[in-house]
Amino acid sequence: MEQMELKKLQILSAKIRIDILEMLVHCGQGHLGGAMSLVETMAVLYGKQLHVDPKNPQLEDRDMVVLSKGHAGPVWYATLAECGYFPKEWLFTLNQGGTKLPSHPDRTKTPGVDMTTGSLGQGTSSAAGIATGQRMKGSKRYTYLMVGDGELNEGQCWEAFQYIAANRLNNCIVIIDDNKRQLDGYTKDVLNPFSIPDKMKAFGFHTEVVKGQDIEAIDAAIDRAKAVKDQAVCIVLDSIKGAGVKYFEDMVSNHSVKFNNDEVIGEAKKAVENLQAWIEKEEPSCLS
Ligand SMILES: Cc1ncc(C[n+]2csc(CCOP(=O)(O)OP(=O)(O)O)c2C)c(N)n1
């Protein structure tokens, strides 16, 4: 990847992180950990890989995105706002009455949201159906399906994976966010999935593992996934829950964070200031 393109995606990632922090502080609580672990993937998708049009979210033959781990909605909203799907002010209505940004994505409410999710597991079948439809229409477009490692507890994921693999739906790029943690602890302690890549390979997927916060690695893995012929494809993100802010990475329970005391709010504000200072230093070279 060109250095300038990398810098732009790093800046987009920093802006998405700021938005997530600010929106959750404003809301008073929210799913921070699993939103932060997907920041770089969202930046690569919307900043480079996707064929979409923010000014025309319903573009007929677009790439589709299904965030099956719907509780991570804030990372999607932040990305969509940064890419111009809707005004950034909307972010501060997260989860409030009458909002267009409910805590879990709703395709009838938010421009750019292609599938309603939140009940874990269900997005996997939705994505399989969408990708099947794309194939039946002869479309060259992709469906990107994002699934959590804890979400793999849901049997429905494995039914959908079996379908995707058996039908060699290589236009459905499965991305598993293996941030090692779920709502109530470490994934290996709740219901050990053992080796996720081995499982996906056994199901018939062409499977790659990449560092979940490495923009270039994610981008290259998506390029390689698109080049695979006649086999289902899966990218496992070796990611960090709460990624990008040490305080939240280290927090014992960072799944849903309550911003209800000076320490937590102060750490979020400090992180926002640091990210903003970094953007101010780096962005001019991208704009010139
Ligand atoms: C069917 C269903 N059961 C339970 C929940 C409650 N829930 C929300 S998030 C979550 C944990 C998900 O873990 P993971 O997929 O690893 O998400 P991440 O750690 O990336 O946020 C659970 C159990 C749900 N949303 N849907």
Side-chain angles (χ1 to χ4, degrees):
M1 183 184 290
E2 299 261 331
Q3 281 312 297
M4 194 59 85
E5 180 133 58
L6 174 61
K7 184 60 68 66
K8 281 186 180 160
L9 294 179
Q10 287 170 333
I11 289 168
L12 176 57
S13 300
K15 289 181 176 176
I16 296 169
R17 276 211 166 84
I18 290 172
D19 291 340
I20 294 171
L21 289 162
E22 288 191 329
M23 128 177 58
L24 296 192
V25 168
H26 187 265
C27 184
Q29 63 176 355
H31 291 104
L32 182 86
M36 297 287 256
S37 58
L38 276 178
V39 166
E40 283 75 12
T41 301
M42 284 289 188
V44 168
L45 287 178
Y46 283 90
K48 180 159 184 281
Q49 290 282 356
L50 291 184
H51 176 76
V52 287
D53 178 2
K55 299 290 167 238
N56 178 15
Q58 295 300 315
L59 180 73
E60 180 63 24
D61 196 25
R62 65 189 181 281
D63 286 328
M64 305 287 269
V65 174
V66 178
L67 179 64
S68 192
K69 39 170 275 188
H71 57 280
V75 68
W76 205 1
Y77 300 149
T79 309
L80 293 171
E82 287 298 339
C83 293
Y85 279 82
F86 49 77
K88 281 176 72 172
E89 292 76 62
W90 287 20
L91 298 177
F92 297 103
T93 68
L94 177 75
N95 213 15
Q96 289 173 13
T99 186
K100 293 185 188 336
L101 308 183
S103 76
H104 296 60
D106 182 334
R107 63 186 285 275
T108 67
K109 290 201 161 63
T110 315
V113 166
D114 289 323
M115 182 44 67
T116 302
T117 52
S119 184
L120 294 171
Q122 292 187 356
T124 59
S125 302
S126 305
I130 293 169
T132 303
Q134 286 171 318
R135 177 175 283 183
M136 287 170 76
K137 283 199 294 190
S139 169
K140 297 270 178 290
R141 299 297 166 210
Y142 292 87
T143 298
Y144 292 85
L145 163 63
M146 280 171 268
V147 189
D149 57 329
E151 184 176 6
L152 297 179
N153 290 175
E154 303 291 343
Q156 183 167 357
C157 297
W158 300 101
E159 293 185 34
F161 292 160
Q162 199 164 295
Y163 172 89
I164 293 166
N167 287 286
R168 298 170 195 271
L169 275 182
N170 57 351
N171 62 333
C172 182
I173 300 184
V174 178
I175 300 175
I176 297 178
D177 185 17
D178 184 12
N179 60 25
K180 325 292 180 296
R181 294 161 81 172
Q182 56 191 84
L183 185 154
D184 38 4
Y186 287 91
T187 301
K188 69 175 172 40
D189 298 330
V190 177
L191 189 60
N192 195 346
F194 301 104
S195 166
I196 294 170
D198 284 354
K199 270 213 166 83
M200 296 309 286
K201 282 179 201 159
F203 266 64
F205 282 75
H206 171 95
T207 306
E208 274 203 45
V209 182
V210 296
K211 290 282 177 206
Q213 278 37 79
D214 184 335
I215 287 171
E216 285 180 293
I218 297 166
D219 181 55
I222 293 174
D223 281 344
R224 283 192 295 274
K226 285 176 167 173
V228 171
K229 302 276 175 254
D230 219 26
Q231 189 182 4
V233 288
C234 173
I235 299 167
V236 180
L237 302 171
D238 175 11
S239 60
I240 299 166
K241 194 153 176 169
V245 183
K246 182 94 176 57
Y247 176 83
F248 292 111
E249 289 178 11
D250 293 346
M251 197 178 238
V252 176
S253 180
N254 67 4
H255 182 76
S256 180
V257 175
K258 283 200 173 14
F259 293 91
N260 60 359
N261 66 67
D262 289 348
E263 181 184 319
V264 185
I265 294 170
E267 290 291 340
K269 290 195 167 157
K270 200 164 69 186
V272 167
E273 281 166 17
N274 289 340
L275 286 161
Q276 259 157 359
W278 182 83
I279 292 170
E280 274 162 33
K281 182 161 69 73
E282 300 295 336
E283 198 166 32
S285 65
C286 284
L287 300 175
S288 57

